[in-house]
Amino acid sequence: VIVNFGADCCLNCQVMEPIYDKLSNEHSNIVFISVQIDDEGAVMKKYGLRVIPTFKFFEHSVEAGQVTGSIVCALMEGVKMLAAV
């Protein structure tokens, strides 16, 4: 599972969204979820997020890694790691 934490008002989130969507279409064996951050920061606080976008990778319900910011190659490596499982 990959969870994309982002916000509509975040430019880097907007840049990464089409890339995230493309990866989700290419890897049907991985569950891709997008979570919109609320204005009050409750979601950020709950998941310990400091930067958006943040992509968290889960393997068997355990966090296996994360990528913060708009680093395309790092996101692709995380997807590749999960796809190999």
Side-chain angles (χ1 to χ4, degrees):
V1 175
I2 303 174
V3 182
N4 171 15
F5 294 92
D8 291 335
C9 62
C10 167
L11 182 58
N12 286 338
C13 299
Q14 293 171 14
V15 168
M16 293 299 286
E17 189 157 343
I19 297 162
Y20 187 74
D21 291 343
K22 183 175 188 268
L23 289 168
S24 72
N25 290 329
E26 293 174 351
H27 298 276
S28 60
N29 61 323
I30 300 173
V31 176
F32 287 75
I33 301 169
S34 293
V35 176
Q36 288 293 311
I37 302 300
D38 59 17
D39 293 333
E40 298 171 17
V43 172
M44 288 188 77
K45 188 174 185 177
K46 180 177 180 177
Y47 292 98
L49 307 175
R50 294 184 182 162
V51 174
I52 55 172
T54 293
F55 303 90
K56 288 192 175 264
F57 304 92
F58 294 90
E59 185 178 341
H60 306 291
S61 302
V62 176
E63 187 174 335
Q66 81 173 24
V67 172
T68 56
S70 55
I71 305 169
V72 175
C73 61
L75 176 59
M76 293 174 76
E77 284 298 315
V79 170
K80 187 177 176 181
M81 172 201 61
L82 285 182
V85 174

